[in-house]
Amino acid sequence: MTRKGPLESVPSGLNLLLARADDRQPVLPAGLPEESARAAPRPEKLPGRAEVPTLEKPDANPNDLSAQRWGVVAPEGEEGEALLRAIAPLMEHRERQQGAPVRVYRVPADMDAKRSVAWRRDVYQDEAVPQEDRPRYLLLLGDLHPLSMELQQVMALGALVGRLHMATSSGAPDLAGYRAYAEKVLASEGRADPDEAAEVLLYCADDGTPATAQGRRLLVDPCAQQVETRWKRRHPALRLREWSEERVGLEELLQAGGAARSGVMLSVSHGLGKPRRGWRSLEQQRSQQGALRLASGELLSAEELRTTPFLPEGMWFCLACFGAATPPRSAFHAWLTLLAREGGQKDHAQEVLESLPKEGERPFLAALPQAALANPRGPLAIIGHSDLAWTYGFTTVGAASRGRASRIAGALEVLANGSRAGVALDALMRAYREVNDGLMTEYQERQDALLEGRPDPVDPVEHAARWMERNDLRGYVLLGDPAARLCLRNGGG
């Protein structure tokens, strides 16, 4: 297979992985100019030093549950108690593994960022609890209303956090789905025939847009190269399946995913957003938003993954707008609002704004990962995006024609090595923390220069790109048990 060089024919700009649900066409087919982000407002800073990670048990093996511990965060009230009962076998299993009781936290609904930071400080980091009893692995139970996205993002700054939620068509918790997931994890970890090595599947929905062109040239192809040149030296039995610029159909993708053994999959595609005339109902939105538009024009949606085998006992990194969830408020909302009012891309910005959640709308997890995780022959964990997904998560600041695939490839390699899913997400969150720290430093440098009457020391183009990069990385979340791992013979320590 011949690949183009990493800098050949790769478009630049602000490129978005979002398609309309009715005609399945990209919302920003040509992207936005890089300078569009120069007027972006400063991100809201969390209280105190909440974004500085705490070094919990830094000398312990991150995969060792007896050292790191595993706990559960459930909503207050009867719903939370029902969810705890549904996953009781998984809790008992983790308790046996770590040789200590599972700590269960119950939290109130709709905690904003400020209250989430306070909860982490006063409850999770309570000095009365010995550090060795404080779980670093945390499984959150429930949708984004009973357990807020802000809580998940705050906790992921230091802990290894995943979320589990399945809903029925009426929106009520699907307790059978929770039980099926718990049984799947137990069956995988109790399997007597671990696999020799993982199978890596790399898919990009090449549809001619700059977003997927960047995904192919700057992420998928470099990942494939790393698999062949580095990963296989450590795991000679590792297998690679890459679809190279083929218009792969739904049937072929499902067949390959269903046959994968200990599969680690990366998919890059447009995720579905609002139709031109709006959603017919809340039920339609919740069933379709975040579904994946394939290169063939077909959709990979929750309906296909409810019962069809796909990445059984595997791991999936799904890169698409709203692929994991729709948040209560997008990190890009204020910037796009300003751009729609004053910028040179008013019409394009307004169209993207139409796909964002409105004030007062309830956030929700996407139906696609819910179905995949509830499927007994589906994956154990999914890393996906909980907001608009741009290409800045894997491109360099100020030069979107150059890639930084190592961020996502690093998370995939952690999974392929047999480490737990939470460790893989934390590898990506380290990149977020680094970029966020650099961005906030630049704001301080600008403020100091203004007060002292000096010229602005910050390059405005690079600063704008760093803002995009920070908010893009911030949107990644883990769905499923953060302690889940592939069943490999010599994986993870």
Side-chain angles (χ1 to χ4, degrees), residues 11 23 68 73 103 225 265 272 326 348 351 387 427:
D23 59 12
Q68 302 292 352
V73 182
R103 188 170 289 271
Q225 186 174 22
M265 181 171 181
L272 290 195
T326 295
H348 291 147
E351 188 165 6
D387 201 338

Side-chain angles (χ1 to χ4, degrees), residues 195-200 235 237-240 261-264 415-418 486 488:
D195 292 308
E196 182 69 24
E199 181 171 352
V200 180
H235 306 291
L238 186 146
R239 296 143 292 169
L240 172 64
R261 290 278 294 179
S262 295
V264 174
L415 295 171
N417 286 339
L486 298 180
L488 299 177

Side-chain angles (χ1 to χ4, degrees), residues 21-22 61 69 112 155 245 255 313 359 401 404 428 480 483:
D22 46 2
N61 180 346
R69 300 292 177 86
D112 60 14
M155 296 308 298
E245 301 183 73
Q255 286 179 349
E313 300 180 19
E359 188 71 31
S401 61
R404 190 171 282 170
L428 194 60

Side-chain angles (χ1 to χ4, degrees), residues 147-197:
L147 285 186
S148 69
M149 178 59 74
E150 290 87 345
L151 177 65
Q152 184 167 359
Q153 290 175 330
V154 165
M155 296 308 298
L157 293 173
L160 305 175
V161 182
R163 180 189 293 264
L164 187 64
H165 174 65
M166 291 89 172
T168 64
S169 57
S170 67
D174 177 12
L175 299 180
Y178 280 85
R179 287 190 289 269
Y181 176 80
E183 292 167 0
K184 176 170 60 176
V185 174
L186 266 63
S188 176
E189 297 189 7
R191 189 148 57 89
D193 58 335
D195 292 308
E196 182 69 24

Side-chain angles (χ1 to χ4, degrees), residues 37 54 94 246 283-284 290 399 404 416 445:
T54 54
R94 295 287 182 236
E246 305 165 9
E283 291 73 24
Q284 184 198 26
R404 190 171 282 170
E445 291 173 350

